[in-house]
Amino acid sequence: MNYIETHPRKVRGGSVHKTIRDKKEERPVKARAKQQLRQKKVSNTSSNLNERKTVEETYLSPDVSNFVEANDVNETKKRIKLWLKTGYPVHLIGPTGCGKTSLAMHVAKEMNRPVVWINGDESITTTDLIGGYSQIEQESLRDQYVHNVFKSKDILKADWVDNPLALACKYGYTLIYNEFSRTKPAANNILLSVFEEKILELPTKFGEDRYIKVHPDFKAILTSNSIEYAGVHRPQDALLDRLVTIYMDYYSFDTEVSIVNAHTGVPDNDARRIVSVVRSLREKLPDTQKPGTRACIMIGEGLKALNGQGRMNFEQICIDVMATKTRSSMELIEKQTFVKEAIEALA
Ligand SMILES: Nc1ncnc2c1ncn2[C@@H]1O[C@H](COP(=O)(O)OP(=O)(O)OP(=O)(O)O)[C@@H](O)[C@H]1O
Ligand SMILES: [Mg+2]
């Protein structure tokens, strides 16, 4: 028997009770809504992927160009790789400008996994390392299915964004934590369980989301400056205990010459002169003022720009580059004398 609408009640122009016809008409609308919901879910996953890509790009380590693989560089490289292979994080420590960061980046790239990078400093917090809630999304539902009943629901959804440590632990990336000892030790506590128990705990999350099992491909290279070491925040012994520490020093004379050549393209005899002067000053100056390989490269760049215009200018370039950390005119005069003596010794 067919259903006959006998009493189609309407309130303010709309049907109160839905008829079969009403319901049939509604079907395509519901199907469309379902389809939209499905699309939204797909775009959510792709927006997650995009988000991950953005974070990876943000923390991606800079490129190492003109890397020189001399014998002493390769020696240290082999040691780093050995410890990374055994699953230990490696800590490179050495004086300013001896090549710690370049070597860390070079080895990390050779691990053939994506590399994420973070630079330690005073203001870094655990959230900067692991991530946090980036934004709160509010979803409101207002339902008046029955004319005199108003249903309202507000859902607050927090969006979590992973930072380098969480990304590296989750997906097995190589993490470079440059100058990690500049970060306050409390912020680095999160690393203890990552290195020992291979678990990353996200303190602001609840339930099973709180723990991330560290991916077997996860690797970490940390660097710190031996000169700053005592002055900045001394890392907690518990953390140092979990790292393999490799002490670095300035590379050999020949390696530094090759590095200057590779970066600046100055002729070999100019590169030799530069490295000799820099090394001579290294012997005479206190630890905090010793010029590193970076100074050799800077002098090389200056010399190249000069385009062979005499001895006096070479002297001036050396002084300009190496007087960076000079605090008094006495110190400057002393450095000028050291540079002059070093140049005269070359003749
Ligand atoms: N093996 C190498 N090949 C080519 N260039 C190098 C190499 N090692 C170091 N350098 C260059 O020497 C300079 C100093 O190196 P780097 O920045 O790695 O030193 P660092 O020890 O990290 O210094 P800092 O203590 O200031 O952070 C950089 O310009 C870098 O490009
Ligand atoms: Mg560095």
PDB file of all heavy atoms in Angstrom, residues 100-101 178-179 294, ligand 2:
ATOM      1  N   LYS A 100      84.577  21.454  12.343  1.00  0.00           N
ATOM      2  CA  LYS A 100      83.613  20.521  12.965  1.00  0.00           C
ATOM      3  C   LYS A 100      82.294  20.456  12.180  1.00  0.00           C
ATOM      4  O   LYS A 100      81.835  19.384  11.804  1.00  0.00           O
ATOM      5  CB  LYS A 100      83.285  20.959  14.412  1.00  0.00           C
ATOM      6  CG  LYS A 100      84.482  21.128  15.305  1.00  0.00           C
ATOM      7  CD  LYS A 100      84.093  21.672  16.645  1.00  0.00           C
ATOM      8  CE  LYS A 100      83.615  23.108  16.648  1.00  0.00           C
ATOM      9  NZ  LYS A 100      84.633  24.115  16.342  1.00  0.00           N
ATOM     10  N   THR A 101      81.716  21.646  11.943  1.00  0.00           N
ATOM     11  CA  THR A 101      80.394  21.669  11.314  1.00  0.00           C
ATOM     12  C   THR A 101      80.465  21.117   9.890  1.00  0.00           C
ATOM     13  O   THR A 101      79.609  20.325   9.492  1.00  0.00           O
ATOM     14  CB  THR A 101      79.841  23.114  11.314  1.00  0.00           C
ATOM     15  OG1 THR A 101      79.904  23.599  12.655  1.00  0.00           O
ATOM     16  CG2 THR A 101      78.425  23.173  10.835  1.00  0.00           C
ATOM     17  N   ASN A 178      74.113  21.326  15.957  1.00  0.00           N
ATOM     18  CA  ASN A 178      75.321  22.135  15.939  1.00  0.00           C
ATOM     19  C   ASN A 178      75.409  22.986  17.206  1.00  0.00           C
ATOM     20  O   ASN A 178      74.405  23.558  17.637  1.00  0.00           O
ATOM     21  CB  ASN A 178      75.253  23.036  14.695  1.00  0.00           C
ATOM     22  CG  ASN A 178      76.588  23.585  14.286  1.00  0.00           C
ATOM     23  OD1 ASN A 178      77.618  22.915  14.434  1.00  0.00           O
ATOM     24  ND2 ASN A 178      76.603  24.805  13.785  1.00  0.00           N
ATOM     25  N   GLU A 179      76.592  23.069  17.797  1.00  0.00           N
ATOM     26  CA  GLU A 179      76.808  23.888  19.011  1.00  0.00           C
ATOM     27  C   GLU A 179      75.780  23.533  20.092  1.00  0.00           C
ATOM     28  O   GLU A 179      75.172  24.435  20.678  1.00  0.00           O
ATOM     29  CB  GLU A 179      76.712  25.394  18.677  1.00  0.00           C
ATOM     30  CG  GLU A 179      77.567  25.858  17.530  1.00  0.00           C
ATOM     31  CD  GLU A 179      79.060  25.948  17.858  1.00  0.00           C
ATOM     32  OE1 GLU A 179      79.445  25.547  18.967  1.00  0.00           O
ATOM     33  OE2 GLU A 179      79.831  26.377  16.987  1.00  0.00           O
ATOM     34  N   ARG A 294      88.727  29.212   8.785  1.00  0.00           N
ATOM     35  CA  ARG A 294      87.861  30.244   8.197  1.00  0.00           C
ATOM     36  C   ARG A 294      88.679  31.510   7.890  1.00  0.00           C
ATOM     37  O   ARG A 294      88.486  32.147   6.852  1.00  0.00           O
ATOM     38  CB  ARG A 294      86.726  30.558   9.169  1.00  0.00           C
ATOM     39  CG  ARG A 294      85.590  31.354   8.559  1.00  0.00           C
ATOM     40  CD  ARG A 294      84.442  31.522   9.520  1.00  0.00           C
ATOM     41  NE  ARG A 294      83.768  30.285   9.823  1.00  0.00           N
ATOM     42  CZ  ARG A 294      83.737  29.725  11.034  1.00  0.00           C
ATOM     43  NH1 ARG A 294      84.331  30.311  12.041  1.00  0.00           N
ATOM     44  NH2 ARG A 294      83.104  28.587  11.219  1.00  0.00           N
TER      45      ARG A 294
HETATM   46 MG    MG B   2      80.636  25.231  13.541  1.00  0.00          MG
END
